[in-house]
């Protein structure tokens, strides 16, 4: 009975979470006359792509798409490189100040982002980096770095250091042992942190409005999506199609990485 109750609760939570996303995609494919029908259906009888055509042809779509992709991928890649070096130093090395450094990283992770709006704006203004994609990339890098360090540190700590020592005994240097032995086992951690960083940067809205003031062509997809309904009024089909296009990259990335995120870090490490 306990297992039945737990499974029922899990299914109820799953359906409650997925239903809004399902309804968004469903509305995007419905013809306009069926969207506000008195008898809604759970699958469109005559699915259409007209709403997606309207969304794609909206002013600024491809410009904002390019901007979002540039700042998100740039921030995630830089954060992975920097965090990997920092996590390795924390997990594998002994040095003065390591404890306070870890505490500072945790504190930075727990700090509310909204509290940084004014300081970040002042820094961008004083350094002439307002209306700059480089500044936006740096801000997203700052957001994703603490979590990436903490997560990769946990993955590195779970990998036995004896694997590196065995490789060094066989003639590998420290960097070679890390590249050939540790780095492949670290792949699940890299995928998990890159997924988190991508979703965080892709969905960010507040700092775009604060840092991108005059250069409208430097804004990203969340801003485009927020103004989409104002442009097209009550065209719910086009609005839901735009929201679906916005959510699609993060969804595809999750589907691509989710099979590897939960794999064991040291799977196959002791094979002969």
């Amino acid at each position: 009975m306990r297992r039945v109750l737990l499974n029922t609760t899990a299914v109820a939570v799953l359906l409650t979470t997925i239903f809004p996303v399902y309804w968004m995609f469903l509305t995007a494919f419905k013809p306009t006359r069926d969207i506000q029908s008195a008898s809604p259906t759970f699958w469109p009888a005559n699915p259409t792509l007209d709403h997606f055509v309207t969304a794609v042809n909206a002013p600024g779509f491809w410009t904002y798409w390019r901007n979002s992709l540039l700042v998100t991928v740039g921030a995630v890649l830089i954060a992975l490189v920097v965090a990997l070096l920092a996590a390795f130093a924390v997990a594998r090395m002994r040095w003065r100040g390591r404890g306070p450094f870890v505490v500072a990283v945790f504190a930075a992770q727990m700090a509310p982002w909204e509290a940084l709006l004014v300081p970040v704006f002042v820094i961008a203004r004083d350094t002439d980096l307002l209306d700059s994609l480089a500044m936006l990339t740096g801000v997203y890098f700052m957001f994703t770095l603490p979590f990436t360090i903490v997560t990769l540190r946990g993955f590195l700590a779970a990998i036995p250091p004896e694997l590196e020592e065995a490789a060094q005994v066989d003639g590998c240097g420290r960097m070679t042992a890390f590249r050939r032995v540790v780095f492949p086992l670290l792949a699940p951690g890299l995928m998990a942190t890159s997924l988190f960083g991508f979703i965080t940067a892709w969905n960010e809205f507040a700092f775009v409005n604060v840092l991108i003031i005059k250069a409208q062509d430097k804004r990203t997809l969340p801003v485009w999506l927020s103004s989409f309904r104002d442009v097209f009024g009550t065209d719910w089909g086009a609005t839901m199609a735009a929201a679906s296009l916005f959510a699609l990259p993060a969804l595809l990335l999750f589907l691509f990485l989710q099979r590897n995120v939960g794999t064991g870090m040291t799977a196959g490490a002791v094979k002969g």
Side-chain angles (χ1 to χ4, degrees):
M1 180 60 65
R2 180 173 178 270
R3 178 175 297 179
V4 170
L5 290 176
L6 290 175
N7 291 338
T8 303
T9 303
V11 171
V13 172
L14 177 65
L15 293 178
T16 305
T17 305
I18 291 181
F19 183 78
V21 180
Y22 161 75
W23 199 258
M24 177 184 70
F25 281 101
L26 176 68
T27 306
F29 285 101
K30 277 185 176 182
T32 303
R33 64 180 181 275
D34 296 339
I35 291 177
Q36 295 182 343
S37 173
S39 56
T41 59
F42 285 88
W43 187 255
N46 301 302
T48 178
L49 296 176
D50 292 344
H51 301 311
F52 289 94
V53 174
T54 302
V56 169
N57 292 331
F61 172 78
W62 293 111
T63 300
Y64 291 174
W65 180 280
R66 180 202 62 196
N67 294 341
S68 289
L69 196 62
L70 286 176
V71 298
T72 300
V73 174
V76 170
L77 291 179
I78 298 173
L80 284 177
V81 173
V82 175
L84 182 59
L85 298 175
F88 184 82
V90 172
R92 287 288 192 265
M93 299 179 181
R94 301 292 182 267
W95 41 279
R96 182 176 299 178
R98 188 181 65 157
F101 174 79
V102 174
V103 173
V105 171
F106 275 102
Q109 173 65 24
M110 293 184 292
W113 298 350
E114 293 78 6
L116 301 176
L117 278 170
V118 175
V120 169
F121 173 80
V122 172
I123 293 174
R125 181 197 61 191
D126 294 343
T127 55
D128 294 327
L129 287 176
L130 288 175
D131 298 318
S132 169
L133 291 180
M135 184 64 187
L136 204 57
T137 303
V139 170
Y140 293 166
F141 158 72
M142 176 182 66
F143 288 162
T144 58
L145 183 62
F147 175 84
T148 309
I149 293 176
V150 171
T151 305
L152 290 182
R153 172 180 172 270
F155 276 90
L156 278 168
I159 298 176
E162 289 78 11
L163 297 176
E164 294 176 75
E165 296 171 0
Q168 292 176 2
V169 169
D170 290 339
C172 293
R174 186 160 196 170
M175 290 303 299
T176 304
F178 176 81
R179 178 171 55 87
R180 293 186 177 182
V181 177
V182 178
F183 190 78
L185 300 177
L186 200 59
L190 294 173
M191 292 180 181
T193 51
S194 63
L195 179 62
F196 169 83
F198 185 91
I199 293 176
T200 301
W202 187 262
N203 293 334
E204 204 286 318
F205 176 80
F207 279 86
V208 181
N209 281 328
V210 171
L211 299 177
I212 309 297
I213 302 175
K214 298 178 181 179
Q216 298 296 320
D217 60 335
K218 297 294 181 63
R219 295 195 164 190
T220 55
L221 276 177
V223 178
W224 170 80
L225 184 60
S226 68
S227 61
F228 190 85
R229 186 171 177 270
D230 296 335
V231 176
F232 288 91
T234 55
D235 189 350
W236 292 109
T239 302
M240 293 299 101
S244 301
L245 291 173
F246 172 73
L248 193 59
L251 179 62
L252 292 177
L253 182 63
F254 171 77
L255 293 176
F256 178 73
L257 296 181
Q258 60 91 20
R259 294 183 59 187
N260 297 316
V261 167
T263 58
M265 283 80 72
T266 57
V270 296
K271 289 182 179 180

